[in-house]
Amino acid sequence: MTTSFAMQSMILGSPVKSFTQSKNGCVPSCYLPRLQKSSRLRVNCMSEDGEKLEQSKSPNLTDAAATPKPTPPPSAKPSTNFIDVFSFSGPAPERINGRLAMIGFVAAIGVELANGADLSAQLSSGGLSWFLGTSALLTSASLIPLFRGVSAESKSGGIMSANAEIWNGRFAMLGLVALAFTEYVKGAGLFQV
């Protein structure tokens, strides 16, 4: 009981006027360390026979549950600066190139399956003007949300996510280069015998 009183008064900051008993004998209270009064420490004491004693609380101590939790800071709005949008790690270059590659790959395979023309024949027979028009349209459609501060990540969800679009664009870029290289080495379209 004396040990419990000594611990409580040590934590609450009031001096202990007597000796504290321990298993090795009596210890003067001046040897006990003192904590500051503003500490938020709670002491639960148990007697040796297992019955729980009253919890000590000071009026200046508050419960941890009663203190409000701070709100997280708002996420930073994406930059709409031209240099930031078109920087190497910016949102525009890879996304726009990936979208153009996806449309180009599907169109090249579709036209080759429809009339048997390889990639170079498609570009020389009017495909270059279609490519330039599609590029201008998709680039402007991709840049308008970026310059308004809307990111693709904020509008994505499920399987149609911004990360999936980036990976599909990368595969389409590789597929378009592989298609052009294969047709160059073969000397004919991919599906021509």
Side-chain angles (χ1 to χ4, degrees), residues 1 4 13 21 23 46-47 61 73 85 106 108 119 130 134 140 150 164-165 169:
M1 188 71 164
S4 171
Q21 284 188 342
K23 292 181 181 178
M46 299 284 288
S47 66
L61 296 178
V85 169
V106 170
L119 192 58
W130 279 101
T134 305
S140 62
V150 178
E165 181 186 19

Side-chain angles (χ1 to χ4, degrees), residues 75-142:
S75 61
K77 190 174 180 181
S79 175
T80 58
N81 187 2
F82 183 81
I83 294 174
D84 291 339
V85 169
F86 279 103
S87 68
F88 185 73
S89 62
E94 187 174 13
R95 190 166 309 279
I96 292 171
N97 289 334
R99 288 174 181 172
L100 292 173
M102 286 186 272
I103 291 196
F105 182 74
V106 170
I109 295 292
V111 170
E112 187 174 334
L113 286 173
N115 51 345
D118 63 346
L119 192 58
S120 61
Q122 291 176 28
L123 289 175
S124 63
S125 65
L128 187 61
S129 61
W130 279 101
F131 171 72
L132 292 175
T134 305
S135 297
L137 181 68
L138 276 176
T139 301
S140 62
S142 298

Side-chain angles (χ1 to χ4, degrees), residues 78 91 95 99 145-146 150-157 160-163 165:
R95 190 166 309 279
R99 288 174 181 172
L146 291 176
V150 178
S151 67
E153 288 80 12
S154 67
K155 298 292 182 181
S156 67
M160 302 297 265
S161 67
N163 198 22
E165 181 186 19

Side-chain angles (χ1 to χ4, degrees), residues 112 116-119 183 186-193:
E112 187 174 334
D118 63 346
L119 192 58
E183 288 180 354
K186 188 177 177 184
L190 183 65
F191 298 109
Q192 293 175 356
V193 179

